[in-house]
Amino acid sequence: MPKIKIDGTEIEVENGTTLLQACEQAGAEVPRFCYHERLSIAGNCRMCLVEVKGGPPKPQASCAMSVNDLRPGPNGEAPEVFTNTPMVKKAREGVMEFLLINHPLDCPICDQGGECDLQDQAMAYGISKKRFHENKRAVEDKYLGPLVKTEMTRCIQCTRCVRFTTEVGGIEEMGATGRGEDMEITTYLNKAISSELQGNIIDLCPVGALTSKPYEFKARPWELRKTETIDAMDAVGSNIRVDARGREVMRILPRTHEDVNEEWISDKTRFVWDGLKSQRLDRPYVREFGKLRAATWPEAFLRVAQKMKASKPERVGIILGDLVGAEEAFSVRQLAEQLGIKNIDCRQDGTPLGELGGRAGYLFNSGIAGIEEADAIMLIGCNPRLEAPVLNARIRKRALKGGCLIGVIGEKADLTYSYNYLGAGPDSLKQFVDHAPAQKQKPMLIVGQGALARPDGAAILANAYKAAMSLGVIKDGWNGFNVLHTAAGRVGALDVCALPAKDGGKNTAQILDAAKAGELDMLILVGADEIDMSNLGSTFVVYMGTHGDAGAHRADVILAGAAYTEKQVTYVNTEGRPQMTQRASFPPGDAREDWAILRALSDQLGSTLPWNNLDELRAAMYKVAPQLMRLDQRTPADVAELADLAKAEGSMSDEAFRPAITDFYMTNPIARASKTMAECSALKNVAQLKAAE
């Protein structure tokens, strides 16, 4: 490993380390605009200049020079680099002066003000006077879609946005035109960017050229209360920061977590915040004479209790939705047990997960970061670009490294990387059940909800396991059998066993069939909006949720709950990593947190839950699912339990796998209440219609 002296401090670094990285390791701060550790090196802003002893009599761009490029001293001494000499200071001041020649001085109206790299570095490394009096260059703003606002006069051509959309987003829609002072960053056809990760270029832009269009002129960063929490828009469990002012969420930003989302988040995660205040349920409601009217909590509880006491337990069903936290799922399951209700299911899409195979049968066993170790990946009935865009970016990252074979069984879609299309449905999967072992060290199967949310889901899961065993996907030290979830609350609910009782309990499909046939008196929907409400017949429906979505429209009693930014609950991501949200704001009006609603309701039902606060609830939950107390840690599942999957009865149909998500922007009540998501969805649908023509 080469040695290098930086400002007199000698350190040892790995081969291939850039001078900029070496300086950071030595504790020396080096300014930069174009360099980003997750993007390719451009070397075009020249702000990261340093002086190299014994090198040319001019400063060097530290981002584009490796420590291996430096010559040792005449007697074999370690090469020396200086970051604070007069030469470096003068060079940086010159670069900053040129950057500001054409940059408009509109900080008071720029949304980047207060968190702008150009502002900070101009103060730290610039000069306090200017020598130019000519008119500044003006550039026409570009249209990038409903999410990213452009002010291209501010652009310093660092090309971070171009490199991100091409390298991480996997779309070649942005680039630079012109040369010198006429150079402009633009989309090639002046159309909206089609990536589901495009919002990340807002964070990457070091100036105010790219800002958030929905957040435009809303607030300043120093006005906002910042809360570190967890995303619930998909099952990846992205780490986020929610910025709120008063009771209102103003924006959502990513936090770095190398094993989960690196530092990226999807556009739905970032821009769904306006849906948190639209169409909200802010108080209980009861239906009288066919119409809903506002009610008090005691009145709503009394109505539920009267119906519950008049119904036999076997004629009551409970369905849990996608955004339910682990504490809430545990509370519902505990209440159902105390009331003798066996018909409870957390899988509103109808998958067979959790019935066989233990935890290993429904987890992403290799871990999200394990994708980077895989040398072969087979996607079965899933479209990760729509179901988990951040995870899809990780697959693309692995594909770009080379040496990884990717195959797809299911929908033939644009996943942003090349793959071998193996077929559309179960017939193609069946070919791998008796296949010879793969000539790969760490092969991986990723089974999606599109393959499992169908009547033959159990048979497909069984055949996927058999194929995994034949191909060598499961071996000592490596479990590449993975299930990709689409619902943030699904794994946590499965962990606390919010499933039908084994002695006659009905699953989601059977509950809906019973309701349609008039065999169900009462149905409790805990945030479940994705089921077919037309099948409920005359069943008495209690809906506990946050938005006036499908469940609320059909409900006879509405119990207003709290959204994921308004409560402290545990979400377990698709790889089985429990993470806890933090309250960024309070529920609107008279809405309450779900666990508190359930505790109060249990009192009214005469079956009081055996805890009085959140700590006691968690203590009881940890006895049932101890892995949930190990926050931000993956507890590996028992691989041996996977053998049970092969015991599933039934055979696979010939029907092709259908995508679990058809509209990325409209997957849950919060997203459907968002005006921004509606604009994105409409734009996407128009683009698809034009493509079909």
Side-chain angles (χ1 to χ4, degrees), residues 350-496:
T351 67
L353 296 172
E355 294 173 4
L356 296 171
R359 287 184 76 237
Y362 59 79
L363 290 185
F364 201 98
N365 290 292
S366 65
I368 295 172
I371 290 171
E372 298 192 29
E373 300 178 39
D375 48 14
I377 300 173
M378 186 190 294
L379 303 172
I380 303 171
C382 65
N383 180 343
R385 180 174 177 180
L386 300 184
E387 296 168 26
V390 175
L391 184 143
N392 192 61
R394 185 89 69 155
I395 298 176
R396 173 175 168 79
K397 180 181 176 182
R398 178 64 191 91
L400 291 178
K401 283 183 182 176
C404 182
L405 188 66
I406 300 177
V408 170
I409 297 177
E411 179 191 16
K412 195 172 185 178
D414 178 9
L415 299 179
T416 73
Y417 42 83
S418 58
Y419 57 82
N420 298 314
Y421 187 62
L422 306 175
D427 289 343
S428 304
L429 176 60
K430 199 179 295 182
Q431 297 173 12
F432 292 94
V433 172
D434 299 314
H435 199 279
Q439 302 298 312
K440 298 288 183 179
Q441 297 302 310
K442 293 187 175 181
M444 178 185 289
L445 251 64
I446 301 179
V447 186
Q449 305 304 297
L452 303 176
R454 38 191 275 164
D456 59 347
I460 289 169
L461 192 61
N463 279 272
Y465 166 72
K466 293 173 185 175
M469 294 302 295
S470 298
L471 293 168
V473 169
I474 303 168
K475 58 182 73 171
D476 288 342
W478 177 254
N479 183 358
F481 185 81
N482 298 318
V483 175
L484 178 60
H485 288 268
T486 56
R490 187 66 45 80
V491 177
L494 290 170
D495 275 353
V496 299

Side-chain angles (χ1 to χ4, degrees), residues 93 122 126-130:
E93 287 176 351
I127 53 178
S128 58
K129 60 183 183 293
K130 64 174 184 174

Side-chain angles (χ1 to χ4, degrees), residues 115 215 218-227 241-246 248-251 253:
E115 49 191 8
Y215 175 69
K218 288 281 195 302
R220 287 296 198 183
W222 55 84
E223 299 176 306
L224 304 175
R225 185 178 63 255
K226 301 165 180 65
T227 306
R241 192 187 87 194
V242 176
D243 290 359
R245 185 174 61 189
E248 188 176 347
V249 173
M250 304 300 292
R251 65 175 179 178
L253 300 175

Side-chain angles (χ1 to χ4, degrees), residues 107-356:
C107 300
I109 62 158
C110 177
D111 276 332
Q112 200 83 336
E115 49 191 8
C116 172
D117 291 349
L118 186 63
Q119 268 184 345
D120 296 340
Q121 293 183 37
M123 290 293 292
Y125 304 101
I127 53 178
S128 58
K129 60 183 183 293
K130 64 174 184 174
R131 294 181 285 169
F132 295 91
H133 301 282
E134 291 80 6
N135 291 332
K136 293 180 180 290
R137 178 186 75 150
V139 180
E140 184 181 346
D141 292 339
K142 307 298 187 290
Y143 173 72
L144 301 184
L147 302 180
V148 182
K149 175 180 178 286
T150 62
E151 192 81 42
M152 301 312 289
T153 302
R154 301 171 185 157
C155 180
I156 61 171
Q157 288 86 40
C158 70
T159 68
R160 278 185 179 184
C161 54
V162 176
R163 284 175 284 148
F164 174 84
T165 53
T166 306
E167 297 166 15
V168 180
I171 55 161
E172 296 183 355
E173 296 175 0
M174 289 190 77
T177 61
R179 292 175 66 84
E181 194 177 49
D182 295 325
M183 181 177 174
E184 295 182 23
I185 303 293
T186 180
T187 52
Y188 294 121
L189 301 174
N190 203 28
K191 291 183 178 179
I193 305 175
S194 61
S195 173
E196 293 77 21
L197 296 166
Q198 62 180 283
N200 291 290
I201 65 177
I202 297 168
D203 299 329
L204 289 173
C205 185
V207 296
L210 303 177
T211 53
S212 171
K213 193 174 280 188
Y215 175 69
E216 182 182 10
F217 306 142
K218 288 281 195 302
R220 287 296 198 183
W222 55 84
E223 299 176 306
L224 304 175
R225 185 178 63 255
K226 301 165 180 65
T227 306
E228 295 186 347
T229 184
I230 305 300
D231 172 51
M233 290 299 105
D234 56 32
V236 173
S238 299
N239 285 228
I240 59 173
R241 192 187 87 194
V242 176
D243 290 359
R245 185 174 61 189
R247 297 176 71 101
E248 188 176 347
V249 173
M250 304 300 292
R251 65 175 179 178
I252 296 174
L253 300 175
R255 287 190 295 130
T256 301
H257 193 305
E258 296 294 343
D259 293 334
V260 179
N261 59 304
E262 296 183 297
E263 62 183 81
W264 317 125
I265 54 174
S266 73
D267 292 339
K268 184 163 54 178
T269 297
R270 183 184 297 269
F271 295 106
V272 80
W273 52 266
D274 65 323
L276 290 166
K277 57 186 178 183
S278 301
Q279 301 180 29
R280 285 302 301 268
L281 300 172
D282 59 353
R283 68 193 69 184
Y285 289 85
V286 296
R287 190 176 295 277
E288 285 184 352
F289 307 110
K291 292 184 178 181
L292 289 169
R293 67 163 177 84
T296 62
W297 281 105
E299 188 179 2
F301 287 152
L302 181 62
R303 186 72 64 92
V304 175
Q306 288 173 342
K307 188 65 180 178
M308 181 71 76
K309 288 171 183 174
S311 307
K312 294 180 180 178
E314 59 269 20
R315 294 179 67 89
V316 178
I318 303 174
I319 300 177
L320 284 73
D322 293 347
L323 304 180
V324 173
E327 288 87 349
E328 297 148 7
F330 175 75
S331 305
V332 172
R333 175 212 161 193
Q334 200 173 26
L335 183 60
E337 285 180 350
Q338 291 182 183
L339 294 171
I341 299 171
K342 298 179 180 179
N343 310 321
I344 174 173
D345 201 352
C346 64
R347 307 158 301 180
Q348 63 173 342
D349 53 4
T351 67
L353 296 172
E355 294 173 4
L356 296 171

